[in-house]
Amino acid sequence: MTKILAFSGSTRRGSFNQAMVEAAAKGAEEAGAQVTVINLADYPMPIFSEDLEAELGMPEHALAFKKLLLEHDGFLIASPEYNSSYPAVLKNAIDWASRMAEGEKPLQAYKGKAVGIMASSPGALGGLRVLSVLRMLLGNIGMVVAPNQKAIGKAHALVDENGVVVDEKTLTQLKALGAETAELTKKLTA
Ligand SMILES: Cc1cc2nc3c(=O)[nH]c(=O)nc-3n(C[C@H](O)[C@H](O)[C@H](O)COP(=O)(O)O)c2cc1C
């Protein structure tokens, strides 16, 4: 079965992006994928440093995150837009998991896998600008980024106090992106 890992680039309690990626995950599930949703808040990692890596090796949570990436065929990622780019916490996690262990191929956690991307913000544009840089980053580490993407603005009006997307139109759009990512993942792993 196609396995998809879903996470956001936010560790904020009540994150809109976490809510969005969970909605997209439902679409991937309905399309037949087995989806694991994680929250990066559960995987706190030090800021990557080659000196730290040389002295202490891969930190426990970085190792656990990378293992999850390796175990899944494709990803769904919702990223906040911080000053028109992705938050450091997301890039840091991606960087740690890009490190090659003995016996691994370069970028093994990423290469050739599908990824669906979305962004969300309380602002009108929904973090649209982060999607181009995130698409470029993921493409550069060998991922196949789904052609469609979604930027969801005015997020505070679309998510309830439990962090669930309650706006039907948004839910439909995100589920479609999740389903498309599941289909793409299936094709790439066939
Ligand atoms: C450092 C920082 C920079 C931000 N820059 C932007 C921005 O460029 N564009 C935008 O739409 N929102 C920006 N925001 C607001 C975020 O969209 C907002 O905090 C959002 O809720 C973050 O996503 P989350 O709810 O998933 O944590 C910024 C927030 C922070 C803390």
Side-chain angles (χ1 to χ4, degrees), residues 48-59 96:
F48 180 82
S49 140
E50 288 192 69
D51 289 344
L52 182 75
E53 183 188 40
E55 283 160 30
L56 301 173
M58 188 103 152
W96 273 115

Side-chain angles (χ1 to χ4, degrees), residues 8-20 78-85 87 120-130 155:
S8 80
S10 174
T11 53
R12 189 176 74 80
R13 281 190 295 277
S15 158
F16 298 128
N17 284 279
Q18 191 67 25
M20 300 301 165
S79 180
E81 179 179 271
Y82 278 8
N83 299 311
S84 79
S85 188
S120 187
S121 148
L125 297 180
L128 181 64
R129 292 171 303 175
V130 71

